[in-house]
PDB file of all heavy atoms in Angstrom:
ATOM      1  N   LYS A 120      -1.015  -1.963  -9.115  1.00 94.00           N
ATOM      2  CA  LYS A 120      -0.200  -0.851  -9.634  1.00 94.00           C
ATOM      3  C   LYS A 120       0.844  -0.407  -8.613  1.00 94.00           C
ATOM      4  O   LYS A 120       1.872   0.156  -8.981  1.00 94.00           O
ATOM      5  CB  LYS A 120      -1.086   0.319 -10.069  1.00 94.00           C
ATOM      6  CG  LYS A 120      -1.837   1.007  -8.944  1.00 94.00           C
ATOM      7  CD  LYS A 120      -2.634   2.189  -9.486  1.00 94.00           C
ATOM      8  CE  LYS A 120      -3.639   2.768  -8.513  1.00 94.00           C
ATOM      9  NZ  LYS A 120      -3.271   2.902  -7.107  1.00 94.00           N
ATOM     10  N   ASP A 121       0.589  -0.667  -7.308  1.00 94.00           N
ATOM     11  CA  ASP A 121       1.563  -0.290  -6.275  1.00 94.00           C
ATOM     12  C   ASP A 121       2.588  -1.389  -6.025  1.00 94.00           C
ATOM     13  O   ASP A 121       3.459  -1.238  -5.163  1.00 94.00           O
ATOM     14  CB  ASP A 121       0.833   0.017  -4.960  1.00 94.00           C
ATOM     15  CG  ASP A 121      -0.186   1.138  -5.136  1.00 94.00           C
ATOM     16  OD1 ASP A 121       0.081   2.065  -5.918  1.00 94.00           O
ATOM     17  OD2 ASP A 121      -1.263   1.067  -4.509  1.00 94.00           O
ATOM     18  N   GLY A 122       2.481  -2.512  -6.715  1.00 93.00           N
ATOM     19  CA  GLY A 122       3.460  -3.588  -6.559  1.00 93.00           C
ATOM     20  C   GLY A 122       3.254  -4.445  -5.315  1.00 93.00           C
ATOM     21  O   GLY A 122       4.139  -5.208  -4.928  1.00 93.00           O
ATOM     22  N   GLY A 123       2.078  -4.331  -4.667  1.00 95.00           N
ATOM     23  CA  GLY A 123       1.831  -5.114  -3.446  1.00 95.00           C
ATOM     24  C   GLY A 123       1.578  -6.589  -3.732  1.00 95.00           C
ATOM     25  O   GLY A 123       1.242  -6.976  -4.856  1.00 95.00           O
ATOM     26  N   ALA A 124       1.745  -7.402  -2.683  1.00 96.00           N
ATOM     27  CA  ALA A 124       1.566  -8.856  -2.806  1.00 96.00           C
ATOM     28  C   ALA A 124       0.068  -9.199  -2.778  1.00 96.00           C
ATOM     29  O   ALA A 124      -0.742  -8.413  -2.273  1.00 96.00           O
ATOM     30  CB  ALA A 124       2.284  -9.553  -1.668  1.00 96.00           C
ATOM     31  N   PRO A 125      -0.285 -10.374  -3.292  1.00 97.00           N
ATOM     32  CA  PRO A 125      -1.698 -10.799  -3.259  1.00 97.00           C
ATOM     33  C   PRO A 125      -2.227 -10.852  -1.830  1.00 97.00           C
ATOM     34  O   PRO A 125      -1.513 -11.266  -0.919  1.00 97.00           O
ATOM     35  CB  PRO A 125      -1.659 -12.210  -3.858  1.00 97.00           C
ATOM     36  CG  PRO A 125      -0.386 -12.281  -4.635  1.00 97.00           C
ATOM     37  CD  PRO A 125       0.581 -11.359  -3.962  1.00 97.00           C
ATOM     38  N   ASP A 126      -3.483 -10.433  -1.639  1.00 94.00           N
ATOM     39  CA  ASP A 126      -4.073 -10.545  -0.303  1.00 94.00           C
ATOM     40  C   ASP A 126      -5.317 -11.437  -0.302  1.00 94.00           C
ATOM     41  O   ASP A 126      -6.085 -11.441   0.634  1.00 94.00           O
ATOM     42  CB  ASP A 126      -4.344  -9.174   0.327  1.00 94.00           C
ATOM     43  CG  ASP A 126      -5.243  -8.289  -0.522  1.00 94.00           C
ATOM     44  OD1 ASP A 126      -5.552  -8.670  -1.663  1.00 94.00           O
ATOM     45  OD2 ASP A 126      -5.619  -7.212  -0.022  1.00 94.00           O
ATOM     46  N   TRP A 127      -5.518 -12.175  -1.383  1.00 96.00           N
ATOM     47  CA  TRP A 127      -6.465 -13.290  -1.340  1.00 96.00           C
ATOM     48  C   TRP A 127      -6.024 -14.317  -2.371  1.00 96.00           C
ATOM     49  O   TRP A 127      -5.222 -14.024  -3.241  1.00 96.00           O
ATOM     50  CB  TRP A 127      -7.916 -12.840  -1.571  1.00 96.00           C
ATOM     51  CG  TRP A 127      -8.264 -12.484  -2.975  1.00 96.00           C
ATOM     52  CD1 TRP A 127      -8.666 -13.340  -3.951  1.00 96.00           C
ATOM     53  CD2 TRP A 127      -8.231 -11.184  -3.579  1.00 96.00           C
ATOM     54  NE1 TRP A 127      -8.876 -12.646  -5.120  1.00 96.00           N
ATOM     55  CE2 TRP A 127      -8.625 -11.320  -4.921  1.00 96.00           C
ATOM     56  CE3 TRP A 127      -7.905  -9.898  -3.114  1.00 96.00           C
ATOM     57  CZ2 TRP A 127      -8.702 -10.258  -5.803  1.00 96.00           C
ATOM     58  CZ3 TRP A 127      -7.989  -8.835  -3.994  1.00 96.00           C
ATOM     59  CH2 TRP A 127      -8.380  -9.009  -5.320  1.00 96.00           C
ATOM     60  N   GLU A 128      -6.584 -15.514  -2.218  1.00 97.00           N
ATOM     61  CA  GLU A 128      -6.162 -16.631  -3.062  1.00 97.00           C
ATOM     62  C   GLU A 128      -7.189 -16.887  -4.167  1.00 97.00           C
ATOM     63  O   GLU A 128      -8.384 -16.637  -3.969  1.00 97.00           O
ATOM     64  CB  GLU A 128      -6.128 -17.911  -2.219  1.00 97.00           C
ATOM     65  CG  GLU A 128      -5.211 -17.842  -1.030  1.00 97.00           C
ATOM     66  CD  GLU A 128      -3.935 -18.608  -1.287  1.00 97.00           C
ATOM     67  OE1 GLU A 128      -3.997 -19.633  -2.005  1.00 97.00           O
ATOM     68  OE2 GLU A 128      -2.899 -18.180  -0.776  1.00 97.00           O
ATOM     69  N   VAL A 129      -6.723 -17.422  -5.259  1.00 98.00           N
ATOM     70  CA  VAL A 129      -7.640 -17.918  -6.289  1.00 98.00           C
ATOM     71  C   VAL A 129      -8.306 -19.181  -5.720  1.00 98.00           C
ATOM     72  O   VAL A 129      -7.605 -20.086  -5.278  1.00 98.00           O
ATOM     73  CB  VAL A 129      -6.869 -18.279  -7.578  1.00 98.00           C
ATOM     74  CG1 VAL A 129      -7.794 -18.949  -8.592  1.00 98.00           C
ATOM     75  CG2 VAL A 129      -6.214 -17.037  -8.170  1.00 98.00           C
ATOM     76  N   PRO A 130      -9.638 -19.226  -5.678  1.00 97.00           N
ATOM     77  CA  PRO A 130     -10.284 -20.397  -5.065  1.00 97.00           C
ATOM     78  C   PRO A 130     -10.159 -21.658  -5.932  1.00 97.00           C
ATOM     79  O   PRO A 130      -9.995 -21.565  -7.145  1.00 97.00           O
ATOM     80  CB  PRO A 130     -11.755 -19.972  -4.970  1.00 97.00           C
ATOM     81  CG  PRO A 130     -11.928 -18.971  -6.056  1.00 97.00           C
ATOM     82  CD  PRO A 130     -10.608 -18.252  -6.208  1.00 97.00           C
ATOM     83  N   VAL A 131     -10.241 -22.790  -5.267  1.00 97.00           N
ATOM     84  CA  VAL A 131     -10.246 -24.072  -5.981  1.00 97.00           C
ATOM     85  C   VAL A 131     -11.680 -24.367  -6.417  1.00 97.00           C
ATOM     86  O   VAL A 131     -12.617 -24.209  -5.635  1.00 97.00           O
ATOM     87  CB  VAL A 131      -9.752 -25.194  -5.038  1.00 97.00           C
ATOM     88  CG1 VAL A 131      -9.963 -26.571  -5.656  1.00 97.00           C
ATOM     89  CG2 VAL A 131      -8.292 -24.963  -4.675  1.00 97.00           C
ATOM     90  N   VAL A 132     -11.856 -24.757  -7.679  1.00 96.00           N
ATOM     91  CA  VAL A 132     -13.165 -25.243  -8.132  1.00 96.00           C
ATOM     92  C   VAL A 132     -13.169 -26.744  -7.840  1.00 96.00           C
ATOM     93  O   VAL A 132     -12.475 -27.517  -8.508  1.00 96.00           O
ATOM     94  CB  VAL A 132     -13.378 -24.971  -9.640  1.00 96.00           C
ATOM     95  CG1 VAL A 132     -14.698 -25.559 -10.129  1.00 96.00           C
ATOM     96  CG2 VAL A 132     -13.331 -23.466  -9.922  1.00 96.00           C
ATOM     97  N   ALA A 133     -13.928 -27.123  -6.812  1.00 94.00           N
ATOM     98  CA  ALA A 133     -13.827 -28.492  -6.280  1.00 94.00           C
ATOM     99  C   ALA A 133     -14.127 -29.551  -7.343  1.00 94.00           C
ATOM    100  O   ALA A 133     -13.558 -30.633  -7.327  1.00 94.00           O
ATOM    101  CB  ALA A 133     -14.768 -28.646  -5.092  1.00 94.00           C
ATOM    102  N   GLU A 134     -15.002 -29.234  -8.285  1.00 94.00           N
ATOM    103  CA  GLU A 134     -15.399 -30.227  -9.296  1.00 94.00           C
ATOM    104  C   GLU A 134     -14.316 -30.451 -10.345  1.00 94.00           C
ATOM    105  O   GLU A 134     -14.345 -31.469 -11.053  1.00 94.00           O
ATOM    106  CB  GLU A 134     -16.682 -29.783 -10.025  1.00 94.00           C
ATOM    107  CG  GLU A 134     -17.918 -29.735  -9.149  1.00 94.00           C
ATOM    108  CD  GLU A 134     -18.047 -28.423  -8.390  1.00 94.00           C
ATOM    109  OE1 GLU A 134     -17.091 -27.608  -8.421  1.00 94.00           O
ATOM    110  OE2 GLU A 134     -19.089 -28.222  -7.759  1.00 94.00           O
ATOM    111  N   PHE A 135     -13.380 -29.520 -10.473  1.00 94.00           N
ATOM    112  CA  PHE A 135     -12.382 -29.621 -11.541  1.00 94.00           C
ATOM    113  C   PHE A 135     -11.546 -30.887 -11.393  1.00 94.00           C
ATOM    114  O   PHE A 135     -10.971 -31.155 -10.335  1.00 94.00           O
ATOM    115  CB  PHE A 135     -11.468 -28.383 -11.538  1.00 94.00           C
ATOM    116  CG  PHE A 135     -10.379 -28.457 -12.570  1.00 94.00           C
ATOM    117  CD1 PHE A 135     -10.674 -28.338 -13.915  1.00 94.00           C
ATOM    118  CD2 PHE A 135      -9.059 -28.681 -12.197  1.00 94.00           C
ATOM    119  CE1 PHE A 135      -9.670 -28.422 -14.882  1.00 94.00           C
ATOM    120  CE2 PHE A 135      -8.052 -28.769 -13.141  1.00 94.00           C
ATOM    121  CZ  PHE A 135      -8.363 -28.640 -14.488  1.00 94.00           C
ATOM    122  N   GLY A 136     -11.500 -31.668 -12.467  1.00 92.00           N
ATOM    123  CA  GLY A 136     -10.672 -32.874 -12.458  1.00 92.00           C
ATOM    124  C   GLY A 136     -11.273 -34.041 -11.705  1.00 92.00           C
ATOM    125  O   GLY A 136     -10.585 -35.020 -11.430  1.00 92.00           O
ATOM    126  N   THR A 137     -12.571 -33.965 -11.335  1.00 93.00           N
ATOM    127  CA  THR A 137     -13.180 -35.077 -10.609  1.00 93.00           C
ATOM    128  C   THR A 137     -14.068 -35.907 -11.538  1.00 93.00           C
ATOM    129  O   THR A 137     -14.516 -35.419 -12.578  1.00 93.00           O
ATOM    130  CB  THR A 137     -14.065 -34.585  -9.431  1.00 93.00           C
ATOM    131  OG1 THR A 137     -15.123 -33.795  -9.973  1.00 93.00           O
ATOM    132  CG2 THR A 137     -13.265 -33.769  -8.437  1.00 93.00           C
ATOM    133  N   ASP A 138     -14.330 -37.145 -11.126  1.00 91.00           N
ATOM    134  CA  ASP A 138     -15.276 -37.980 -11.864  1.00 91.00           C
ATOM    135  C   ASP A 138     -16.644 -37.329 -11.739  1.00 91.00           C
ATOM    136  O   ASP A 138     -16.946 -36.712 -10.738  1.00 91.00           O
ATOM    137  CB  ASP A 138     -15.347 -39.384 -11.227  1.00 91.00           C
ATOM    138  CG  ASP A 138     -14.071 -40.164 -11.488  1.00 91.00           C
ATOM    139  OD1 ASP A 138     -13.292 -39.736 -12.367  1.00 91.00           O
ATOM    140  OD2 ASP A 138     -13.845 -41.163 -10.782  1.00 91.00           O
ATOM    141  N   GLY A 139     -17.444 -37.499 -12.753  1.00 91.00           N
ATOM    142  CA  GLY A 139     -18.789 -36.947 -12.657  1.00 91.00           C
ATOM    143  C   GLY A 139     -18.897 -35.554 -13.259  1.00 91.00           C
ATOM    144  O   GLY A 139     -19.988 -35.022 -13.401  1.00 91.00           O
ATOM    145  N   TRP A 140     -17.733 -34.966 -13.599  1.00 93.00           N
ATOM    146  CA  TRP A 140     -17.756 -33.653 -14.245  1.00 93.00           C
ATOM    147  C   TRP A 140     -16.871 -33.685 -15.481  1.00 93.00           C
ATOM    148  O   TRP A 140     -15.830 -34.340 -15.493  1.00 93.00           O
ATOM    149  CB  TRP A 140     -17.269 -32.560 -13.283  1.00 93.00           C
ATOM    150  CG  TRP A 140     -18.325 -32.185 -12.306  1.00 93.00           C
ATOM    151  CD1 TRP A 140     -18.651 -32.871 -11.170  1.00 93.00           C
ATOM    152  CD2 TRP A 140     -19.243 -31.091 -12.401  1.00 93.00           C
ATOM    153  NE1 TRP A 140     -19.711 -32.261 -10.543  1.00 93.00           N
ATOM    154  CE2 TRP A 140     -20.093 -31.153 -11.278  1.00 93.00           C
ATOM    155  CE3 TRP A 140     -19.437 -30.052 -13.326  1.00 93.00           C
ATOM    156  CZ2 TRP A 140     -21.116 -30.222 -11.051  1.00 93.00           C
ATOM    157  CZ3 TRP A 140     -20.440 -29.118 -13.092  1.00 93.00           C
ATOM    158  CH2 TRP A 140     -21.270 -29.214 -11.976  1.00 93.00           C
ATOM    159  N   SER A 141     -17.279 -32.940 -16.486  1.00 91.00           N
ATOM    160  CA  SER A 141     -16.450 -32.828 -17.693  1.00 91.00           C
ATOM    161  C   SER A 141     -15.255 -31.944 -17.382  1.00 91.00           C
ATOM    162  O   SER A 141     -15.198 -31.294 -16.335  1.00 91.00           O
ATOM    163  CB  SER A 141     -17.265 -32.187 -18.822  1.00 91.00           C
ATOM    164  OG  SER A 141     -17.397 -30.794 -18.593  1.00 91.00           O
ATOM    165  N   ASP A 142     -14.313 -31.911 -18.302  1.00 91.00           N
ATOM    166  CA  ASP A 142     -13.239 -30.920 -18.251  1.00 91.00           C
ATOM    167  C   ASP A 142     -13.862 -29.571 -18.652  1.00 91.00           C
ATOM    168  O   ASP A 142     -15.028 -29.516 -19.033  1.00 91.00           O
ATOM    169  CB  ASP A 142     -12.142 -31.337 -19.247  1.00 91.00           C
ATOM    170  CG  ASP A 142     -10.803 -30.671 -18.946  1.00 91.00           C
ATOM    171  OD1 ASP A 142     -10.762 -29.754 -18.095  1.00 91.00           O
ATOM    172  OD2 ASP A 142      -9.804 -31.059 -19.586  1.00 91.00           O
ATOM    173  N   TRP A 143     -13.095 -28.497 -18.577  1.00 93.00           N
ATOM    174  CA  TRP A 143     -13.603 -27.225 -19.099  1.00 93.00           C
ATOM    175  C   TRP A 143     -13.784 -27.312 -20.611  1.00 93.00           C
ATOM    176  O   TRP A 143     -12.960 -27.916 -21.305  1.00 93.00           O
ATOM    177  CB  TRP A 143     -12.600 -26.086 -18.849  1.00 93.00           C
ATOM    178  CG  TRP A 143     -12.393 -25.637 -17.455  1.00 93.00           C
ATOM    179  CD1 TRP A 143     -11.214 -25.678 -16.759  1.00 93.00           C
ATOM    180  CD2 TRP A 143     -13.343 -25.022 -16.576  1.00 93.00           C
ATOM    181  NE1 TRP A 143     -11.387 -25.128 -15.513  1.00 93.00           N
ATOM    182  CE2 TRP A 143     -12.686 -24.725 -15.370  1.00 93.00           C
ATOM    183  CE3 TRP A 143     -14.699 -24.694 -16.691  1.00 93.00           C
ATOM    184  CZ2 TRP A 143     -13.319 -24.118 -14.286  1.00 93.00           C
ATOM    185  CZ3 TRP A 143     -15.332 -24.093 -15.609  1.00 93.00           C
ATOM    186  CH2 TRP A 143     -14.637 -23.819 -14.431  1.00 93.00           C
ATOM    187  N   TYR A 144     -14.829 -26.695 -21.084  1.00 91.00           N
ATOM    188  CA  TYR A 144     -14.935 -26.386 -22.507  1.00 91.00           C
ATOM    189  C   TYR A 144     -14.578 -24.903 -22.604  1.00 91.00           C
ATOM    190  O   TYR A 144     -15.421 -24.053 -22.328  1.00 91.00           O
ATOM    191  CB  TYR A 144     -16.355 -26.620 -23.025  1.00 91.00           C
ATOM    192  CG  TYR A 144     -16.732 -28.070 -23.121  1.00 91.00           C
ATOM    193  CD1 TYR A 144     -17.250 -28.747 -22.027  1.00 91.00           C
ATOM    194  CD2 TYR A 144     -16.575 -28.762 -24.312  1.00 91.00           C
ATOM    195  CE1 TYR A 144     -17.591 -30.083 -22.104  1.00 91.00           C
ATOM    196  CE2 TYR A 144     -16.923 -30.106 -24.404  1.00 91.00           C
ATOM    197  CZ  TYR A 144     -17.426 -30.757 -23.295  1.00 91.00           C
ATOM    198  OH  TYR A 144     -17.780 -32.079 -23.370  1.00 91.00           O
ATOM    199  N   PRO A 145     -13.318 -24.590 -22.922  1.00 87.00           N
ATOM    200  CA  PRO A 145     -12.931 -23.180 -22.866  1.00 87.00           C
ATOM    201  C   PRO A 145     -13.209 -22.442 -24.175  1.00 87.00           C
ATOM    202  O   PRO A 145     -13.154 -23.027 -25.250  1.00 87.00           O
ATOM    203  CB  PRO A 145     -11.430 -23.240 -22.603  1.00 87.00           C
ATOM    204  CG  PRO A 145     -10.991 -24.571 -23.096  1.00 87.00           C
ATOM    205  CD  PRO A 145     -12.197 -25.462 -23.255  1.00 87.00           C
TER     206      PRO A 145
END
Side-chain angles (χ1 to χ4, degrees):
K120 66 178 168 40
D121 302 325
D126 57 353
W127 74 86
E128 301 256 327
V129 173
V131 170
V132 176
E134 294 85 352
F135 177 71
T137 62
D138 289 345
W140 282 80
S141 75
D142 199 350
W143 291 119
Y144 288 86

